[in-house]
Amino acid sequence: MKKETRANLIKQGAIWAFIVVELAFFSIAGEFLSVTETAFMDFDNMLLLLKQSAPIGIIALGMTIIMINGNIDLSVGATFALAAIVLLDSMTWPFMAAIGDWAIPLAWGFALLTGVVLGAINGLIVWKTGVDAFIVTLGSMLGYRGLVFMYNGEQPTSHLNWTLVDFAEAQFLGLHTATWFLLGAALLLWLLMTKTVHGRNAYAIGNNREAAVNAGIRVGPHFLWNFMLIGFLAALSAVVFYSESGSVNPNDGMLYELWAITAVVLGGTKLSGGYGSIISTLGGVIAIQLLRKGLGHIGADTETVNLVIGLILIAVLFLDRQLNRKGREELKT
């Protein structure tokens, strides 16, 4: 047990050590290779990085719970886009336009409800059919993206509300609104996963689904709630982001599911389920943003950034596999 606890602590601390290495490397490399004369990461840039991490970060937190369960959700990018369209378009409806800024909480509610409903559809199909979540959400990813294009063709959906913009751009204690949403979501989900029966059940199901069923855990309804939760979080991410930008394109959110999964895996969550950490996923999100900014700072193009992140992800998965294999061998001895 002590060995397992020590291994878990190493896993959880590894992502933060990686962030420190990134900061040191790009700060030094920037002195010689930077295409600009600005410092790589001063305090203001760090605050901006946290704000920019929020859209992917909020989704990645939900993906952590799904993956701890032993599932995956590939539809979050499409859910994000559809919730954004509902948010902005609903504010132009005649009865919404007539009530002025009172339409804002209603529009948020419509967008969040959209995410919950789409997540519930995924959860119900996984629960009632027994089809693997990868296949179910691959299909719903295509279907939900189709709904995005059906809603407004290939045209962007736009509505700029200055009250929303002011709210989204506001700062409290130096942190942007989006950052507060990210940190608040991380805190609430950490409490959910560490202090509640639902969280303990998530780990139990991911470790051994059959044993969880035999222990009396209702696996199907548990899946349903978690898919509804990630749908809600994908919609919340859209609410946070598009309250400021005011315009959504039909292709927005594409590849968000892959970025979210990458952040979760970098944070140490097992693809097979049963292990993961909300706080480490937050570190994974920050590490990816640092990597993208750092490589851009020294003049790397987008293709190089994606290549480097892909190689790091493969290395992390290989290392995780080797550590898990070594752990199983130690348990046998």
Side-chain angles (χ1 to χ4, degrees), residues 63 66 71-80 114-145 147 219-232 234 257:
M63 189 70 77
I66 292 291
N71 292 318
I72 204 162
D73 189 346
L74 300 177
S75 68
V76 289
T79 299
F80 172 88
T114 298
V116 171
V117 170
L118 296 180
I121 292 172
N122 288 337
L124 279 171
I125 295 174
V126 171
W127 173 14
K128 294 300 184 181
T129 67
V131 176
D132 189 87
F134 178 89
I135 302 299
V136 172
T137 59
L138 178 62
S140 62
M141 174 185 72
L142 299 174
Y144 296 166
R145 184 62 65 177
L147 290 176
V219 173
H222 181 92
F223 284 168
L224 175 60
W225 280 110
N226 284 343
F227 276 105
M228 290 171 67
L229 176 60
I230 194 173
F232 174 87
E257 55 279 344

Side-chain angles (χ1 to χ4, degrees), residues 148-164:
V148 170
F149 279 94
M150 289 171 63
Y151 202 101
N152 207 20
E154 295 188 3
Q155 301 301 314
T157 301
S158 302
H159 180 79
L160 196 61
N161 180 295
W162 290 108
T163 303
L164 264 182

Side-chain angles (χ1 to χ4, degrees), residues 233-261:
L233 291 168
L236 178 63
S237 176
V239 166
V240 170
F241 183 77
Y242 290 102
S243 291
E244 181 175 2
S245 74
S247 181
V248 54
N249 290 301
N251 288 317
D252 284 1
M254 281 191 173
L255 299 183
Y256 271 29
E257 55 279 344
L258 298 184
W259 285 112
I261 292 167

Side-chain angles (χ1 to χ4, degrees), residues 21-289:
V21 170
E22 283 184 299
L23 287 170
F25 174 79
F26 288 119
S27 295
I28 296 171
E31 296 291 329
F32 303 98
L33 302 173
S34 176
V35 294
T36 67
E37 294 183 1
T38 58
F40 166 57
M41 196 52 64
D42 57 22
F43 184 70
D44 288 338
N45 282 338
M46 182 60 77
L47 293 180
L48 182 60
L49 179 138
L50 289 173
K51 176 186 177 182
Q52 294 170 339
S53 299
I56 295 293
I58 293 171
I59 295 174
L61 295 174
M63 189 70 77
T64 304
I65 299 175
I66 292 291
M67 290 175 64
I68 287 172
N69 256 168
N71 292 318
I72 204 162
D73 189 346
L74 300 177
S75 68
V76 289
T79 299
F80 172 88
L82 192 54
I85 288 175
V86 171
L87 169 73
L88 298 181
D89 190 61
S90 66
M91 296 187 71
T92 67
W93 299 345
F95 86 93
M96 295 281 279
I99 59 176
D101 286 344
W102 289 105
I104 293 173
L106 280 177
W108 285 352
F110 291 144
L112 295 173
L113 181 61
T114 298
V116 171
V117 170
L118 296 180
I121 292 172
N122 288 337
L124 279 171
I125 295 174
V126 171
W127 173 14
K128 294 300 184 181
T129 67
V131 176
D132 189 87
F134 178 89
I135 302 299
V136 172
T137 59
L138 178 62
S140 62
M141 174 185 72
L142 299 174
Y144 296 166
R145 184 62 65 177
L147 290 176
V148 170
F149 279 94
M150 289 171 63
Y151 202 101
N152 207 20
E154 295 188 3
Q155 301 301 314
T157 301
S158 302
H159 180 79
L160 196 61
N161 180 295
W162 290 108
T163 303
L164 264 182
V165 173
D166 289 342
F167 172 77
E169 292 183 345
Q171 288 181 278
F172 178 68
L173 299 179
L175 299 178
H176 297 87
T177 300
T179 305
W180 281 112
F181 273 97
L182 174 62
L183 297 178
L187 174 61
L188 291 175
L189 293 176
W190 176 79
L191 291 172
L192 174 70
M193 296 303 290
T194 59
K195 306 297 182 182
T196 69
V197 173
H198 184 88
R200 290 192 291 273
N201 287 348
Y203 287 101
I205 292 169
N207 268 317
N208 191 321
R209 192 171 300 182
E210 185 177 347
V213 172
N214 292 335
I217 298 174
R218 300 184 65 207
V219 173
H222 181 92
F223 284 168
L224 175 60
W225 280 110
N226 284 343
F227 276 105
M228 290 171 67
L229 176 60
I230 194 173
F232 174 87
L233 291 168
L236 178 63
S237 176
V239 166
V240 170
F241 183 77
Y242 290 102
S243 291
E244 181 175 2
S245 74
S247 181
V248 54
N249 290 301
N251 288 317
D252 284 1
M254 281 191 173
L255 299 183
Y256 271 29
E257 55 279 344
L258 298 184
W259 285 112
I261 292 167
T262 301
V264 174
V265 172
L266 281 178
T269 297
K270 286 184 180 179
L271 282 172
S272 58
Y275 178 82
S277 164
I278 294 294
I279 303 301
S280 293
T281 291
L282 187 61
V285 172
I286 294 171
I288 289 176
Q289 282 296 113

